[in-house]
Amino acid sequence: LEQKITVRVATPDDKHFAETITNEMEESAKARGTGIAKRSPQYIEKKMDEGKAVIAHTPDGTWVGFCYVEAWEHGKYVANSGLIVAPAFRKSGVATEIKRTVFELSRRMYPDAKIFGLTTGLAVMKINSDLGYEPVTYSELTNDEEFWKGCQSCVNFDILTSKGRKNCLCTAMLYDPVEKAKQAPAPLPKINGQRVHVAGEHHRRQFANNFSLFDRWVRFKQFVLLKNWRKKLGDSQDKGILGLLFFW
Ligand SMILES: CC(C)(COP(=O)(O)OP(=O)(O)OC[C@H]1O[C@@H](n2cnc3c(N)ncnc32)[C@H](O)[C@@H]1OP(=O)(O)O)[C@@H](O)C(=O)NCCC(=O)NCCS
């Protein structure tokens, strides 16, 4: 079914969508069985008031998707969070378009900010990677207590705490405008009319495109974290090396 979907910055007129959005966030988190920071309809409405949200809808006003901008440490860091697409509209590029729009909005509002996200979802990792984000350790993210408080409502919060906030099941990805500015303007050097391989560039691209490897790495990481966690709880279901091989 071909449907025209509008993706745009949300306004206060979109507040009637707020409850639908938070309900779907909760339902999706339950369905996936993964953790997520819970948000109230009031919080969503505030984001719409501030012009820090992106909404997707059909021409007849059916809600399709949402995402918002959060700033930390006075705009030094920005997160594009709460990405959600209504189940009926998934897998047709809506999330890609929403993330592109919210990314551009963030770049406009906070041109010097490092833009980051925490996610367990492969779709989000793919989208972020295409936008120029790279995987990082949690030490590269904001230290702002308010940001990390958002994790308290996640089912995996105990894991995050036990790891001293250095690691958890989510993969952290970050877009650094300073690093990007260094990479972008360099024209391709030519020697005798041939394109020259630039050290580092190929490696980066290969990683961005090789999602089966990325996926396996993420699952491996989650396996190790969960295994350690189960051990801590005294669970004897340790699958050891066999489980490790399975995940790799
Ligand atoms: C994650 C979510 C936003 C993706 O929305 P979507 O509109 O289906 O995503 P897109 O169609 O733009 O897909 C983007 C890419 O991810 C891939 N993808 C989509 N869903 C996927 C899935 N469940 N598993 C793996 N890859 C997936 C697509 O194939 C596409 O890859 P491509 O560019 O190589 O073709 C949506 O499934 C959702 O709302 N899930 C529940 C909430 C959630 O997980 N939010 C993220 C919290 S961080």
Side-chain angles (χ1 to χ4, degrees):
L1 187 91
E2 278 287 308
Q3 249 216 96
K4 227 179 154 188
I5 293 166
T6 303
V7 178
R8 58 170 174 79
V9 176
T11 72
D13 290 341
D14 296 312
K15 285 185 185 175
H16 60 283
F17 289 125
E19 205 152 323
T20 311
I21 294 168
T22 51
N23 286 345
E24 189 49 59
M25 283 175 170
E26 211 167 329
E27 286 304 309
S28 292
K30 261 190 231 152
R32 288 192 307 154
T34 53
I36 197 138
K38 287 201 183 87
R39 294 292 176 224
S40 67
Q42 292 73 31
Y43 189 80
I44 302 298
E45 288 178 11
K46 187 168 160 256
K47 288 292 161 190
M48 290 170 169
D49 274 334
E50 295 170 345
K52 290 183 183 171
V54 167
I55 196 143
H57 59 84
T58 63
D60 67 2
T62 304
W63 171 72
V64 173
F66 187 75
C67 191
Y68 58 80
V69 178
E70 272 177 325
W72 312 103
E73 294 181 45
H74 309 287
K76 191 175 163 201
Y77 291 89
V78 161
N80 293 169
S81 305
L83 176 70
I84 184 90
V85 171
F89 296 93
R90 286 180 190 168
K91 301 260 174 124
S92 59
V94 175
T96 307
E97 195 51 35
I98 292 176
K99 280 283 276 186
R100 200 181 57 76
T101 310
V102 81
F103 178 76
E104 282 169 7
L105 178 65
S106 306
R107 294 282 297 132
R108 262 205 317 272
M109 291 181 101
Y110 303 96
D112 301 324
K114 291 181 177 180
I115 306 176
F116 72 97
L118 277 178
T119 186
T120 56
L122 183 60
V124 179
M125 292 177 205
K126 281 185 184 183
I127 297 168
N128 287 347
S129 183
D130 287 345
L131 288 170
Y133 288 58
E134 313 221 351
V136 292
T137 56
Y138 288 14
S139 60
E140 302 297 301
L141 309 182
T142 178
N143 280 322
D144 196 316
E145 287 299 326
E146 280 304 310
F147 169 75
W148 294 100
K149 267 189 199 163
C151 295
Q152 281 175 1
S153 54
C154 173
V155 292
N156 300 318
F157 185 63
D158 287 344
I159 299 180
L160 179 71
T161 311
S162 78
K163 296 281 170 193
R165 225 157 74 178
K166 288 192 181 73
N167 213 343
C168 197
L169 298 199
C170 273
T171 294
M173 293 184 83
L174 180 127
Y175 175 95
D176 185 340
V178 176
E179 284 301 312
K180 290 295 153 185
K182 280 187 214 156
Q183 289 168 10
L188 290 174
K190 278 185 180 170
I191 295 176
N192 298 334
Q194 291 211 327
R195 190 170 174 260
V196 174
H197 173 73
V198 180
E201 189 197 31
H202 175 67
H203 177 74
R204 199 165 53 81
R205 282 231 202 94
Q206 217 178 29
F207 187 68
N209 291 328
N210 192 347
F211 271 95
S212 66
L213 182 64
F214 195 9
D215 190 22
R216 271 187 291 163
W217 171 72
V218 168
R219 278 187 290 155
F220 172 72
K221 171 185 150 163
Q222 298 194 347
F223 169 75
V224 171
L225 280 168
L226 281 173
K227 189 172 141 247
N228 290 344
W229 183 242
R230 269 199 242 112
K231 238 188 216 157
K232 227 179 189 165
L233 292 176
D235 188 330
S236 60
Q237 288 175 352
D238 186 351
K239 304 276 191 309
I241 195 77
L242 269 180
L244 213 148
L245 283 171
F246 171 75
F247 276 94
W248 195 245

